[in-house]
Amino acid sequence: MFIRNAIRLSIALFPIVALAGGAAPDTAEVYAANCASCHGVRRYGDYAPPLIPSTLKRKSDERLLKAILEGLPATQMPPFGQLIDEETARKLVTWMRQPVGKIHWDVADVASNRIAFPPGEKRLPTSLAREHVMLVVERGSGNISVLDRKLDEVDRFPVGRVHGGPKFDLDFRRIWATTRDGTLVVYDLERGGLRAKAKVGVNTRNVAVSPDGALVAAANLLPPGVMLLDADLNPLHRLALDGQTSGIYALPHSDRFILSLRDRPTLIEIPYAKPSLIETALPEPFEDFTLVPGRNQLLASSREGQRIMLWDLKQRRVVSALDTEALPHLFSACFFERDGRLHAALNHMGVPRMSILDLESFKIVKEIELLGAGFFVRTHPGTPWLWADTNTEAIQLVDKASLTLREPALIPERGKKSLHVEFSADGAQALVSVWNKEGAVVAYDSHSIEEQRRLPYAMPVGKYNATNKTRLLR
């Protein structure tokens, strides 16, 4: 969920194997030492996507070689060029193309491993205002904590390595969360406690939920497809995909899900009532996209195309485009009103810069240099600031009116990385994660930036407010 400081962290986390007598390690050992932690021991994927023939077939050897040696923008893949020589990298590419056997996971598999948990005694306070619930994903424990409006923890439940963020229905009755290895859980937000658990795929990208909570869609990288389930995780249908999905989302004010393929120029919609794949051809693959609030449009980017595009869902075409030198991570961007015009704030992958994009003219109105190349920019109508993490200990704030940096930068804890800002439903509080085994979630007054509360957590990777998480669908 955060961008690695490429070489330093690569060396610390993924050291090259050295064999006795100075002999070169074989390719499997190189993979185990440098790749398995993120891509999985069996190459099925874990924090990072699978590395098997079916997911690599559209990528040339040279493209894969470049990714290993130089890293990938808009991902957590660091460059290994100072750790692995070109010959070793080429052997890795050849080895990754070796078959791993047929990967199969269908409706019957989901049904056979589903576990239902009977409701026990009510665990949540009757007075809990569910629309103000805040979730904290604690990577260190694999749990999700449920906080009330005062930020007191009222419950927690186990999930594992959560990926893609938890989802709520519009009535705040349930929460759904999934892991990279395909474990999906549903939590009862009326009573407390898990209600069901199922393995929905071998490697899962994320889940989306219809506004009424009746239909859940899990986007799987392995096997490639979308698994559709009811609210209690009973499997209904599997729709096979001919490509790797970048993620699936509930399309606001409609009756369908939407997704794009990372390796094919295709946008796909899935109606709730009669699930099927409705495909629209794109000018290039949308590696990343975000929904523009209040508009029937997507802001999209392509790793190959070096441009940002505004896609109109009704016209089914690009209505504006802008060349860019640095690749933004659009789903980590935010939107805000300024001088009566809608703007977007974008962090860039690998470049310490924030771009301010005027959505009306579709022009960059300001570039702001940051202390480091971060991942998220966040804001809320209730705060005058844009909050940007920088892949350092510092959170930098930009005044939305003047587009100037606030000095000094906010440092929640010296020597510990800070990231992922979330807000209370009214925007009065901003919560920052201190990313460390002995980390914390720190709550600030979102205007004065005065610290209000500090909650200890182990690697708190993300926080999610129920109202903010469903705002686009209302």
Side-chain angles (χ1 to χ4, degrees), residues 352-370:
R353 181 188 307 154
M354 180 195 300
S355 296
I356 307 298
L357 173 65
D358 184 330
L359 270 295
E360 311 302 332
S361 64
F362 213 71
K363 293 181 179 179
I364 299 294
V365 296
K366 188 159 186 180
E367 302 270 23
I368 301 171
E369 298 302 315
L370 302 175

Side-chain angles (χ1 to χ4, degrees), residues 113-373:
N113 79 84
R114 176 184 174 273
I115 300 172
F117 303 101
E121 294 184 3
K122 184 175 174 64
R123 297 166 52 167
L124 296 176
T126 303
S127 59
L128 180 67
R130 300 199 304 267
E131 68 274 18
H132 291 286
V133 158
M134 184 80 70
L135 304 180
V136 177
V137 176
E138 189 179 35
R139 176 69 58 81
S141 68
N143 292 322
I144 292 180
S145 293
V146 182
L147 310 185
D148 65 13
R149 190 172 189 172
K150 296 179 181 179
L151 302 184
D152 291 329
E153 185 174 297
V154 294
D155 200 8
R156 63 167 46 203
F157 57 97
V159 183
R161 296 178 174 182
V162 174
H163 191 268
K167 303 297 188 297
F168 298 82
D169 62 280
L170 287 185
D171 292 330
F172 310 116
R173 297 178 61 187
R174 296 192 174 194
I175 299 165
W176 293 262
T178 190
T179 66
R180 268 290 201 184
D181 67 1
T183 299
L184 177 61
V185 303
V186 56
Y187 174 87
D188 187 340
L189 196 49
E190 293 181 295
R191 299 181 56 84
L194 291 177
R195 287 294 159 261
K197 175 181 179 180
K199 185 172 176 60
V200 296
V202 174
N203 184 280
T204 299
R205 181 67 180 85
N206 74 326
V207 295
V209 178
S210 62
D212 61 3
L215 190 61
V216 180
N220 290 321
L221 297 175
L222 286 179
V226 176
M227 186 68 70
L228 298 169
L229 311 97
D230 68 14
D232 296 311
L233 308 188
N234 294 294
L236 303 172
H237 307 281
R238 180 181 179 272
L239 302 173
L241 295 175
D242 184 22
Q244 297 181 61
T245 177
S246 64
I248 190 166
Y249 310 97
L251 188 60
H253 310 296
S254 75
D255 59 352
R256 55 193 60 197
F257 298 115
I258 188 168
L259 62 95
S260 66
L261 299 180
R262 304 170 72 173
D263 52 353
R264 284 183 53 205
T266 305
L267 191 70
I268 298 174
E269 296 175 41
I270 303 175
Y272 300 153
K274 295 182 178 180
S276 60
L277 302 178
I278 301 175
E279 298 189 359
T280 300
L282 299 174
E284 56 194 84
F286 286 175
E287 174 77 18
D288 190 18
F289 73 82
T290 189
L291 304 165
V292 179
R295 303 186 182 186
N296 211 7
Q297 294 177 327
L298 306 177
L299 197 59
S301 66
S302 168
R303 181 177 291 137
E304 299 298 328
Q306 296 294 300
R307 62 179 184 152
I308 305 172
M309 294 160 282
L310 188 64
W311 176 267
D312 190 282
L313 288 163
K314 286 188 175 181
Q315 299 181 48
R316 296 185 181 274
R317 67 181 184 90
V318 173
V319 293
S320 296
L322 177 68
D323 291 336
T324 177
E325 295 179 2
L327 185 66
H329 193 294
L330 294 175
F331 203 73
S332 297
C334 67
F335 297 87
F336 63 100
E337 293 283 345
R338 179 174 181 266
D339 298 331
R341 299 163 71 90
L342 186 63
H343 289 67
L346 321 168
N347 252 7
H348 293 278
M349 297 301 97
V351 178
R353 181 188 307 154
M354 180 195 300
S355 296
I356 307 298
L357 173 65
D358 184 330
L359 270 295
E360 311 302 332
S361 64
F362 213 71
K363 293 181 179 179
I364 299 294
V365 296
K366 188 159 186 180
E367 302 270 23
I368 301 171
E369 298 302 315
L370 302 175
L371 294 173

Side-chain angles (χ1 to χ4, degrees), residues 59-70:
K59 296 177 173 63
S60 68
D61 287 357
E62 293 304 313
R63 181 176 175 184
L64 293 174
L65 181 70
K66 182 177 180 181
I68 293 171
L69 297 177
E70 300 179 15

